[in-house]
Amino acid sequence: MKIMCLNAWGGKLYEKLLPYVKASDPDVLCLQEVIHSPASEKDWLTYRDGDHVLAQRANFFRDVSHALPDHVAIFCPAAQGVLWDEDQPVPSQWGLATFVRRSIPIIAQVQGFVHKGFSPVGYGDHPRSHNAHGVRVYDYAAERAVSITHMHGLRDLNGKMDTPERAEQARRLLNFSRQVSEPGDVVVVCGDFNVEPGSETLALLADAGFKELVTGRGIESTRSTQYKKPGRFADYMLVNCEEAVQSFDVIHDPEVSDHCPLVLRL
């Protein structure tokens, strides 16, 4: 089973991302920063937050769904706010998406919030609402169940340090994973956690029996050259059974976002 996790950067590099995802053809794709604007037929809209202005692929969830027609597509909104078509506001949802190959049965799901709750009338002040989604699937090739839970960790404008909110976020993530898992499962937890390698978040997950694969395998960055700020880590992949791992890679080429895809084979 091939599992990919990626913060998609709102689809900014979709012209590279879609062909890469289609060619890679993961069995399960966990995407963060996914845009869904059902009220608009535009290809692009603009996100504005003070000096932070970013082009957003208006219907990125639809775009990825078309690139993976043999997958069940699940969108999990964290908030609905406004993107801009020049000077016209457009209601747009932002959140996570999970894509599972149709031949792989989804036998349980969990969805909820790791920070705050659904924000229906704006993206809100930082740190904003952030959510998680988990699926339990049956892997016929290996004759076992696998549970995969991913989140987009909160963004604190002060940095990626440990905070009480991040500790609570980690506990909620672990709880979602436990809700969707059963004894004997291979359990995967992943996402853009927005924390550093020595964080309390990763320590809590380690105490719960998870092995972190990024720094655990000597990988030096999960960021592409598109990311210009200091700090080269944000994304993590953890498993409860390292013996089940056939391979794990962080993909730096092609660059499909300001984050790198994490690719796990079980």
Short mmCIF file of all heavy atoms in Angstrom, two decimals, residues 13 16 43 78 109 113 145 153 157 164 167 191 194:
data_model
loop_
_atom_site.label_atom_id
_atom_site.label_comp_id
_atom_site.label_asym_id
_atom_site.label_seq_id
_atom_site.Cartn_x
_atom_site.Cartn_y
_atom_site.Cartn_z
N LEU A 13 1.06 25.40 -7.25
CA LEU A 13 1.86 24.76 -8.30
C LEU A 13 1.10 23.59 -8.92
O LEU A 13 1.68 22.56 -9.25
CB LEU A 13 3.20 24.28 -7.72
CG LEU A 13 4.11 25.36 -7.12
CD1 LEU A 13 5.43 24.74 -6.64
CD2 LEU A 13 4.39 26.48 -8.12
N LYS A 16 2.29 21.37 -11.86
CA LYS A 16 3.27 20.32 -11.59
C LYS A 16 2.69 19.26 -10.65
O LYS A 16 3.00 18.08 -10.76
CB LYS A 16 4.53 20.92 -10.98
CG LYS A 16 5.30 21.84 -11.92
CD LYS A 16 6.57 22.35 -11.26
CE LYS A 16 7.37 23.22 -12.22
NZ LYS A 16 8.62 23.74 -11.60
N ASP A 43 -10.78 29.55 -12.33
CA ASP A 43 -9.64 28.68 -12.09
C ASP A 43 -8.82 29.17 -10.90
O ASP A 43 -8.29 28.37 -10.12
CB ASP A 43 -8.75 28.59 -13.33
CG ASP A 43 -9.40 27.81 -14.46
OD1 ASP A 43 -10.24 26.93 -14.16
OD2 ASP A 43 -9.10 28.11 -15.63
N ALA A 78 -12.41 23.11 7.15
CA ALA A 78 -12.12 23.70 8.46
C ALA A 78 -12.79 25.06 8.61
O ALA A 78 -13.10 25.47 9.72
CB ALA A 78 -10.61 23.84 8.65
N GLN A 109 -14.32 5.76 9.50
CA GLN A 109 -13.82 7.12 9.30
C GLN A 109 -14.01 7.92 10.58
O GLN A 109 -14.91 7.64 11.38
CB GLN A 109 -14.58 7.84 8.20
CG GLN A 109 -14.33 7.35 6.80
CD GLN A 109 -14.96 8.27 5.77
OE1 GLN A 109 -14.55 9.42 5.61
NE2 GLN A 109 -15.94 7.76 5.04
N PHE A 113 -11.99 18.34 14.80
CA PHE A 113 -11.11 19.49 14.91
C PHE A 113 -10.04 19.27 15.98
O PHE A 113 -10.33 18.78 17.08
CB PHE A 113 -11.91 20.76 15.20
CG PHE A 113 -12.59 21.27 13.96
CD1 PHE A 113 -13.76 20.67 13.50
CD2 PHE A 113 -12.04 22.29 13.21
CE1 PHE A 113 -14.37 21.09 12.33
CE2 PHE A 113 -12.62 22.72 12.04
CZ PHE A 113 -13.80 22.12 11.59
N ALA A 145 -5.90 -4.62 8.23
CA ALA A 145 -6.47 -3.28 8.24
C ALA A 145 -5.37 -2.26 8.51
O ALA A 145 -4.42 -2.52 9.27
CB ALA A 145 -7.55 -3.17 9.30
N GLY A 153 -1.67 21.11 11.31
CA GLY A 153 -1.47 21.73 12.61
C GLY A 153 -1.63 23.24 12.56
O GLY A 153 -1.38 23.89 11.54
N LEU A 157 1.54 32.71 14.64
CA LEU A 157 2.37 33.76 14.03
C LEU A 157 3.67 33.97 14.79
O LEU A 157 4.62 34.55 14.25
CB LEU A 157 1.58 35.07 13.96
CG LEU A 157 0.32 35.05 13.09
CD1 LEU A 157 -0.34 36.43 13.08
CD2 LEU A 157 0.63 34.59 11.67
N PRO A 164 0.49 25.44 24.88
CA PRO A 164 -0.61 24.61 25.39
C PRO A 164 -1.59 24.22 24.28
O PRO A 164 -2.12 23.10 24.29
CB PRO A 164 -1.27 25.51 26.43
CG PRO A 164 -0.17 26.42 26.90
CD PRO A 164 0.66 26.67 25.69
N ALA A 167 -0.11 21.31 22.42
CA ALA A 167 -0.19 20.08 23.22
C ALA A 167 -1.60 19.49 23.15
O ALA A 167 -1.78 18.28 22.97
CB ALA A 167 0.22 20.36 24.66
N GLY A 191 0.93 14.41 8.48
CA GLY A 191 0.41 15.73 8.17
C GLY A 191 1.44 16.82 8.28
O GLY A 191 2.62 16.57 8.58
N ASN A 194 3.31 21.63 11.65
CA ASN A 194 3.76 22.99 11.98
C ASN A 194 4.52 23.04 13.30
O ASN A 194 4.35 23.97 14.10
CB ASN A 194 2.56 23.96 12.01
CG ASN A 194 2.39 24.70 10.69
OD1 ASN A 194 3.36 25.05 10.04
ND2 ASN A 194 1.15 24.93 10.30
#
